[in-house]
Amino acid sequence: MGDVVTMDKVVSLCKRRGFIFPSSEIYGGVGSTYDYGHYGVLLKTNVKNEWWRAMLQDRDDIVALDSAIIQHPRVWEASGHLAGFTDPLVDCRTCKQRFRADHLDQLQCGQKPSKRPGEGPDCDLTEARDFNLMFETTVGPVKESGATVYLRPETAQGIFINFKNVLQFSRRKPPFGIAQIGKSFRNEITPGNFVFRTREFEQMEMEFFVPPAEADRWFAHWLAERERWYVELGIRPDHLRLRAHDADELSHYSSGTSDVEYLFPIGWSELEGIANRGDFDLSRHAEHANEKLEYVDTATRERYVPHVIEPAAGADRATLAFLVDAYDEEQVEGETRTLLRLHPRLAPVKVAVLPLVKKDGQPEVAREIWADLRRRMQAEYDEGGSIGKRYRRQDEIGTPWGVTVDHQTLEDRTVTLRDRDSLEQVRVPIEGLGDELERRLRAPWATPKLAADPA
Ligand code: GAP
């Protein structure tokens, strides 16, 4: 059985079930901007919480930060973004469209029949010029005299400019890390592929400060750690790979970068970048702000500028990868069952409590069970429509377990517990149900899609 997932199917399920939908739809939409609905919020929150857990709870050498989106404009001068965060662009004087000059061979021009920009007889392209991807705005009440500031294009710089604060207040010494999740903004010229590339997105970035001699070792450590994180949360290992950047792909700050790539329906694409940034950022900010950004060992008096290893992930892109990897279809009793085989820890809803019928005291008992379970985990109660329909709905939002209350429940206080993946139903007592679900939630999990994949 091959993988049935396509980007269109994921987009359609996301809309149908209220995960993610195009923004400003009632005004005709604004290109490549998306809003997250109830289940999308729950799913992305779980992704971010798992990232926090891996950074903060599972280890003791990282602290958290939440820095501002609007920072001093000189931050972007020091970081190199003002001068270097650009894409080469050409404009077409005929169709008025703008294209990435280095992607012309993959693009379509606005004229019909559509050709590559520059190929048609009427195409009239300008010379390429650099276009900065940062969004600009002004602070202060008077637009003309206000200062130009930028919406941050990455969360990382907020960490570097707080290095001294954190060092002082958290009493850390290298190796240690600072982690942050937050929105970033880039005026991407070719956004697309749903939430894969948008102009407003959330990043999950961690800057790990190390003694220079330990940089290579920590770089290798974070490559392995970050790949392991995706696998532990259910991504099929054969759909994940590490790819080292060629010298001509490296960002201005990096002496080595590897991407964690996922096999999206659009092909292998970057999920997360892990870079060895050396002392570039701290040295640049030290120079521009005229501040000492270094570590001084009080015992040995040794002083040095730490090197930085940076795992930089996208919360939306990771959410998309988990959705894509989880999407499945199978034939059950002559009907197609669509489901999300999400890791239970990521699933928006952990358990649905369903009375078989809306009478005979079943809804009352089901509501009692729901009230108990929802104190422990995200739980839903649903009594509307046929039981088959209610199961299908829960399958499509990836709910790993269904609890059904039936006539027998009223006699012996047992319920059926249904497993989303195997469809197995077992009879269990209501007493202890919460403990059992919590045990399952903590247990290691691997996607059944692994077994179904062709060798
Ligand atoms: N601080 C380094 C940095 O920002 P990056 O590779 O440009 O590195 C890191 O971004 C991650 O942020 C990417 O791997 C991707 O997951 C996410 N990301 C970057 N641009 C994005 C966009 N336009 N839309 C959605 N996610 C994006």
Side-chain angles (χ1 to χ4, degrees), residues 33-61:
T33 309
Y34 293 91
D35 296 337
Y36 283 69
H38 181 64
Y39 296 122
V41 171
L42 291 175
L43 174 60
K44 187 156 73 140
T45 301
N46 291 343
V47 171
K48 291 187 285 184
N49 284 344
E50 288 298 331
W51 188 87
W52 278 128
R53 181 212 293 262
M55 293 293 156
L56 302 181
Q57 199 178 325
D58 294 350
R59 44 194 306 149
D60 64 357
D61 51 3

Side-chain angles (χ1 to χ4, degrees), residues 2 10 61 80-81 127 135 137 147 220 343-344 351 357 379 398 404 428 440 447 452:
V10 171
D61 51 3
H81 282 83
E127 287 295 304
F135 280 102
T137 185
H343 190 299
V351 59
V357 292
T404 311
V428 295
R440 290 184 181 205
T447 173

